[in-house]
mmCIF file of all heavy atoms in Angstrom:
data_model
loop_
_atom_site.group_PDB
_atom_site.id
_atom_site.type_symbol
_atom_site.label_atom_id
_atom_site.label_comp_id
_atom_site.label_asym_id
_atom_site.label_seq_id
_atom_site.Cartn_x
_atom_site.Cartn_y
_atom_site.Cartn_z
ATOM 1 N N SER P 3 -69.069 63.643 92.309
ATOM 2 C CA SER P 3 -68.136 63.845 91.243
ATOM 3 C C SER P 3 -67.639 62.504 90.652
ATOM 4 O O SER P 3 -67.507 62.356 89.359
ATOM 5 C CB SER P 3 -66.870 64.505 91.925
ATOM 6 O OG SER P 3 -65.831 64.594 90.930
ATOM 7 N N THR P 4 -67.630 61.489 91.451
ATOM 8 C CA THR P 4 -67.230 60.123 90.924
ATOM 9 C C THR P 4 -68.305 59.574 90.020
ATOM 10 O O THR P 4 -68.062 59.047 88.928
ATOM 11 C CB THR P 4 -67.087 59.092 92.152
ATOM 12 O OG1 THR P 4 -66.149 59.567 93.030
ATOM 13 C CG2 THR P 4 -66.798 57.711 91.732
ATOM 14 N N ARG P 5 -69.628 59.758 90.360
ATOM 15 C CA ARG P 5 -70.708 59.367 89.496
ATOM 16 C C ARG P 5 -70.678 60.033 88.181
ATOM 17 O O ARG P 5 -70.970 59.390 87.151
ATOM 18 C CB ARG P 5 -72.013 59.623 90.206
ATOM 19 C CG ARG P 5 -73.253 59.035 89.496
ATOM 20 C CD ARG P 5 -74.604 59.341 90.166
ATOM 21 N NE ARG P 5 -74.678 58.662 91.451
ATOM 22 C CZ ARG P 5 -74.678 59.308 92.611
ATOM 23 N NH1 ARG P 5 -74.637 60.607 92.592
ATOM 24 N NH2 ARG P 5 -74.743 58.747 93.808
ATOM 25 N N ARG P 6 -70.384 61.327 88.158
ATOM 26 C CA ARG P 6 -70.276 62.081 86.899
ATOM 27 C C ARG P 6 -69.218 61.561 86.038
ATOM 28 O O ARG P 6 -69.440 61.397 84.846
ATOM 29 C CB ARG P 6 -70.042 63.621 87.223
ATOM 30 C CG ARG P 6 -71.377 64.321 87.620
ATOM 31 C CD ARG P 6 -71.125 65.855 87.536
ATOM 32 N NE ARG P 6 -70.042 66.277 88.384
ATOM 33 C CZ ARG P 6 -70.253 66.664 89.689
ATOM 34 N NH1 ARG P 6 -71.513 66.714 90.193
ATOM 35 N NH2 ARG P 6 -69.186 67.155 90.300
ATOM 36 N N HIS P 7 -68.122 61.185 86.639
ATOM 37 C CA HIS P 7 -67.008 60.568 85.810
ATOM 38 C C HIS P 7 -67.367 59.311 85.256
ATOM 39 O O HIS P 7 -67.053 58.966 84.057
ATOM 40 C CB HIS P 7 -65.774 60.448 86.667
ATOM 41 C CG HIS P 7 -65.032 61.711 87.026
ATOM 42 N ND1 HIS P 7 -64.580 62.518 85.945
ATOM 43 C CD2 HIS P 7 -64.797 62.291 88.158
ATOM 44 C CE1 HIS P 7 -63.991 63.565 86.460
ATOM 45 N NE2 HIS P 7 -64.091 63.547 87.799
ATOM 46 N N ILE P 8 -68.144 58.432 86.013
ATOM 47 C CA ILE P 8 -68.481 57.123 85.465
ATOM 48 C C ILE P 8 -69.439 57.263 84.330
ATOM 49 O O ILE P 8 -69.314 56.600 83.307
ATOM 50 C CB ILE P 8 -69.186 56.322 86.709
ATOM 51 C CG1 ILE P 8 -68.048 55.927 87.719
ATOM 52 C CG2 ILE P 8 -69.810 55.033 86.014
ATOM 53 C CD1 ILE P 8 -68.700 55.280 88.932
ATOM 54 N N LEU P 9 -70.544 58.183 84.605
ATOM 55 C CA LEU P 9 -71.404 58.344 83.525
ATOM 56 C C LEU P 9 -70.806 58.967 82.196
ATOM 57 O O LEU P 9 -71.148 58.582 81.056
ATOM 58 C CB LEU P 9 -72.568 59.316 83.974
ATOM 59 C CG LEU P 9 -73.479 58.751 85.102
ATOM 60 C CD1 LEU P 9 -74.451 59.839 85.503
ATOM 61 C CD2 LEU P 9 -74.265 57.542 84.487
ATOM 62 N N ALA P 10 -69.851 59.825 82.359
ATOM 63 C CA ALA P 10 -69.138 60.421 81.312
ATOM 64 C C ALA P 10 -68.298 59.364 80.538
ATOM 65 O O ALA P 10 -68.264 59.390 79.294
ATOM 66 C CB ALA P 10 -68.180 61.556 81.707
ATOM 67 N N GLY P 11 -67.915 58.298 81.269
ATOM 68 C CA GLY P 11 -67.131 57.269 80.585
ATOM 69 C C GLY P 11 -68.109 56.263 79.825
ATOM 70 O O GLY P 11 -67.678 55.788 78.819
ATOM 71 N N ILE P 12 -69.283 56.164 80.394
ATOM 72 C CA ILE P 12 -70.261 55.118 79.725
ATOM 73 C C ILE P 12 -70.881 55.772 78.472
ATOM 74 O O ILE P 12 -71.119 55.110 77.470
ATOM 75 C CB ILE P 12 -71.369 54.747 80.708
ATOM 76 C CG1 ILE P 12 -70.702 53.874 81.877
ATOM 77 C CG2 ILE P 12 -72.507 54.060 80.078
ATOM 78 C CD1 ILE P 12 -71.789 53.613 82.908
ATOM 79 N N ALA P 13 -71.143 57.107 78.489
ATOM 80 C CA ALA P 13 -71.919 57.765 77.447
ATOM 81 C C ALA P 13 -71.306 57.528 75.987
ATOM 82 O O ALA P 13 -71.961 57.132 75.024
ATOM 83 C CB ALA P 13 -72.016 59.213 77.690
ATOM 84 N N PRO P 14 -69.983 57.528 75.884
ATOM 85 C CA PRO P 14 -69.358 57.362 74.553
ATOM 86 C C PRO P 14 -69.573 55.869 74.034
ATOM 87 O O PRO P 14 -69.743 55.685 72.892
ATOM 88 C CB PRO P 14 -67.909 57.726 74.739
ATOM 89 C CG PRO P 14 -67.851 58.597 75.950
ATOM 90 C CD PRO P 14 -68.984 58.126 76.845
ATOM 91 N N LEU P 15 -69.653 55.022 75.052
ATOM 92 C CA LEU P 15 -69.874 53.563 74.700
ATOM 93 C C LEU P 15 -71.243 53.265 74.210
ATOM 94 O O LEU P 15 -71.524 52.516 73.412
ATOM 95 C CB LEU P 15 -69.481 52.616 75.910
ATOM 96 C CG LEU P 15 -68.012 52.769 76.366
ATOM 97 C CD1 LEU P 15 -67.843 51.864 77.532
ATOM 98 C CD2 LEU P 15 -67.068 52.141 75.228
ATOM 99 N N ALA P 16 -72.216 54.004 74.910
ATOM 100 C CA ALA P 16 -73.614 53.733 74.583
ATOM 101 C C ALA P 16 -74.016 54.270 73.187
ATOM 102 O O ALA P 16 -74.920 53.756 72.519
ATOM 103 C CB ALA P 16 -74.511 54.367 75.668
ATOM 104 N N LEU P 17 -73.385 55.434 72.763
ATOM 105 C CA LEU P 17 -73.743 56.050 71.606
ATOM 106 C C LEU P 17 -73.667 55.121 70.344
ATOM 107 O O LEU P 17 -74.640 55.054 69.576
ATOM 108 C CB LEU P 17 -72.930 57.413 71.407
ATOM 109 C CG LEU P 17 -73.250 58.171 70.179
ATOM 110 C CD1 LEU P 17 -74.746 58.616 70.294
ATOM 111 C CD2 LEU P 17 -72.360 59.450 70.100
ATOM 112 N N PRO P 18 -72.590 54.466 70.218
ATOM 113 C CA PRO P 18 -72.475 53.561 68.958
ATOM 114 C C PRO P 18 -73.545 52.574 68.955
ATOM 115 O O PRO P 18 -73.928 52.073 67.874
ATOM 116 C CB PRO P 18 -71.084 52.960 69.077
ATOM 117 C CG PRO P 18 -70.275 53.912 69.891
ATOM 118 C CD PRO P 18 -71.231 54.474 70.894
ATOM 119 N N LEU P 19 -73.953 51.994 70.202
ATOM 120 C CA LEU P 19 -75.007 51.051 70.253
ATOM 121 C C LEU P 19 -76.313 51.549 69.705
ATOM 122 O O LEU P 19 -77.122 50.777 69.100
ATOM 123 C CB LEU P 19 -75.203 50.526 71.688
ATOM 124 C CG LEU P 19 -73.947 49.725 72.270
ATOM 125 C CD1 LEU P 19 -74.243 49.393 73.715
ATOM 126 C CD2 LEU P 19 -73.631 48.538 71.433
ATOM 127 N N ALA P 20 -76.546 52.777 69.918
ATOM 128 C CA ALA P 20 -77.846 53.426 69.522
ATOM 129 C C ALA P 20 -77.891 53.653 67.963
ATOM 130 O O ALA P 20 -78.900 53.757 67.306
ATOM 131 C CB ALA P 20 -78.089 54.740 70.218
ATOM 132 N N LEU P 21 -76.742 53.909 67.334
ATOM 133 C CA LEU P 21 -76.646 54.283 65.922
ATOM 134 C C LEU P 21 -77.245 53.227 65.009
ATOM 135 O O LEU P 21 -77.967 53.512 64.134
ATOM 136 C CB LEU P 21 -75.232 54.607 65.528
ATOM 137 C CG LEU P 21 -74.700 55.952 66.115
ATOM 138 C CD1 LEU P 21 -73.203 56.203 65.829
ATOM 139 C CD2 LEU P 21 -75.533 57.150 65.565
ATOM 140 N N PRO P 22 -76.900 51.892 65.160
ATOM 141 C CA PRO P 22 -77.402 50.938 64.289
ATOM 142 C C PRO P 22 -78.973 50.912 64.230
ATOM 143 O O PRO P 22 -79.607 50.791 63.200
ATOM 144 C CB PRO P 22 -76.782 49.622 64.706
ATOM 145 C CG PRO P 22 -75.508 50.021 65.470
ATOM 146 C CD PRO P 22 -75.941 51.321 66.119
#
Side-chain angles (χ1 to χ4, degrees):
S3 175
T4 303
R5 186 180 296 113
R6 281 195 299 271
H7 284 302
I8 292 173
L9 292 174
I12 291 175
L15 297 175
L17 183 60
L19 295 177
L21 286 176

